[in-house]
Amino acid sequence: MAASIAISLLIFLVFGFLALRCLAAWGAPIPLPTPLMAPVPQEASSPYTPSRRDLLKVFAWAVALRVTLLAAVIACLAITSGEEGFTWGAFAGRFQLWDARHYSNLIEQGYIEYQEDGRHIFLVFYPLYVWVTRLVRLIIPHTQAAGVLVSIASYAWGCCWVYQLAAERFDRQTADSAVLFLSLFPFSFFFGTVMTESLFLLTTSAACYFALKHRWLAFGCWGALAALCRMTGVLVMVPAVIELLQELRPLEKPVGQSLKTALPRFLKRFPLLCLPLLGTGVYLLLNVHVDGDPFAFVIHQEHWHQGGMWIAEVLKYVWDYMLRYFHQQMGWAVWVPTFALFVGFFLALAAASRREEMPPSLLAYGFCYLIANYSLSWLLSAGRYLSCGFMFFLFAAVLTQRRPALRAYLLAVEAVFLGVYMFAYVTNAQVM
């Protein structure tokens, strides 16, 4: 009980500080406590706009990394195959593990035909990745090959958006580091599987880029795709609303006059900020089409033992399971990384929130994203979900910008555990 209260207080403390930062950005006369804010270094580098050539290099590097990891998968299978030797069938089978099998079946059969015990329990899988891969499958008539191609292309394009956002907001070094931290994350191998992670990275990073550029129509289109990709995609509305209010500054003195001026401009742009809800609406219509109920997915979530739970309670059961299974595969495959990643990501968020140059919109988005993903009643895939949280890798890049030794150490640790968890996944461990 005491631990739950302490965790809740920490979460509310960070939330309160972020709320103060947002209010100050909107023009409220709130002097933030000096000890809590780290000033921008005087020798800070300048932002720059990447050229098309720069972005093509990022895209090519990202594709090369994914191809290298595919070669590593082949090596893992060859090493562990025993007397039977490596086969391409076994290689293709690595792309049908855990949720990837369900995505493959949805791509091949569709939401109506793919059932279990006469129930459409797979409606809980959002449709954008399924639909995009079905289109690619018209050209490449092999489900796993088409799915991997969509994932690799989406990941590489997503890296370009992350790089461009970081470069234009900070500098070249920060952009390089953000993409490296993202790409070497221990669970980033999911970007090359038949799952939705890469497409979600692409849509959310693009939506946030356009939100920070205040290009609201482009934001709305990408945001709608993000919401059609995963339930948490609708959270991209958070940084968009914060950015718009930061542009309008409705709380600036005199408050009555500034609010009166800002309100019509806010209402004019607000419909574009709500476009992500269109993606959610399409998903609800899919539920109606398949099961006759827009909220059928809520019922089907019970099959997966999934629902909402306050984050302090989630961390409590994660901690209990981690201790119970510490010496077993399940402990190190699921519970140890789930707990460790929350601690690391929460500390990165808290540290980044003290940096004056860090946009409140991205901080708020990171907070909402972390809390939403850790508020599930049966959290088995925290590492996979967090691999798409590109803003945290941007936080890491900013925080280590003038600490090259720490940056190198963290990247090396990431690379080591990327190898460990990818090998575990390929060899059928419970990494999901």
Side-chain angles (χ1 to χ4, degrees), residues 302-424:
E302 297 174 2
H303 171 85
W304 306 94
H305 309 288
Q306 200 62 273
M309 180 181 287
W310 175 237
I311 185 171
E313 297 303 315
V314 173
L315 291 173
K316 181 180 182 301
Y317 81 66
V318 168
W319 174 262
D320 292 341
Y321 279 122
M322 183 179 71
L323 296 182
R324 183 185 305 178
Y325 295 103
F326 191 78
H327 299 291
Q328 299 179 30
Q329 182 199 103
M330 189 70 172
W332 283 91
V334 176
W335 305 118
V336 170
T338 297
F339 188 82
L341 287 173
F342 176 81
V343 173
F345 276 55
F346 188 79
L347 291 176
L349 173 66
S353 66
R354 298 181 61 244
R355 301 296 292 261
E356 289 184 9
E357 71 271 33
M358 189 62 66
S361 55
L362 286 183
L363 292 169
Y365 180 45
F367 177 86
C368 293
Y369 188 82
L370 183 62
I371 299 303
N373 282 294
Y374 270 80
S375 297
L376 299 173
S377 58
W378 192 232
L379 184 59
L380 298 177
S381 305
R384 178 157 64 92
Y385 300 155
L386 292 180
S387 66
C388 308
F390 70 90
M391 71 297 295
F392 289 97
F393 305 109
L394 177 57
F395 298 162
V398 171
L399 293 171
T400 61
Q401 187 179 33
R402 283 162 186 80
R403 296 180 176 89
L406 177 60
R407 173 181 175 273
Y409 173 76
L410 291 177
L411 288 172
V413 170
E414 277 197 324
V416 168
F417 281 98
L418 171 58
V420 169
Y421 278 96
M422 188 179 75
F423 180 82

Side-chain angles (χ1 to χ4, degrees), residues 9 32 98 102 113 119 127 133 136 175 269 305 314 420:
L9 286 176
L32 295 173
W98 305 108
H102 301 312
E113 295 299 324
R119 301 170 59 203
T133 306
V136 175
R269 293 166 176 76
H305 309 288
V314 173
V420 169

Side-chain angles (χ1 to χ4, degrees), residues 1-23:
M1 182 66 176
S4 296
I5 294 175
I7 292 171
S8 300
L9 286 176
L10 277 175
I11 290 171
F12 284 123
L13 182 64
V14 173
F15 173 81
F17 185 68
L18 292 177
L20 289 177
R21 286 209 57 181
C22 289
L23 291 172

Side-chain angles (χ1 to χ4, degrees), residues 16-30 32 242 245-246 249-252 360:
F17 185 68
L18 292 177
L20 289 177
R21 286 209 57 181
C22 289
L23 291 172
W26 299 342
I30 299 176
L32 295 173
I242 291 173
L245 291 175
Q246 186 170 343
R249 296 182 65 83
L251 302 181
E252 206 164 37

Side-chain angles (χ1 to χ4, degrees), residues 95-110:
F95 300 98
Q96 297 199 71
L97 299 175
W98 305 108
D99 286 352
R101 174 170 60 90
H102 301 312
Y103 278 111
S104 294
N105 289 334
L106 285 170
I107 292 164
E108 293 175 353
Q109 302 176 34

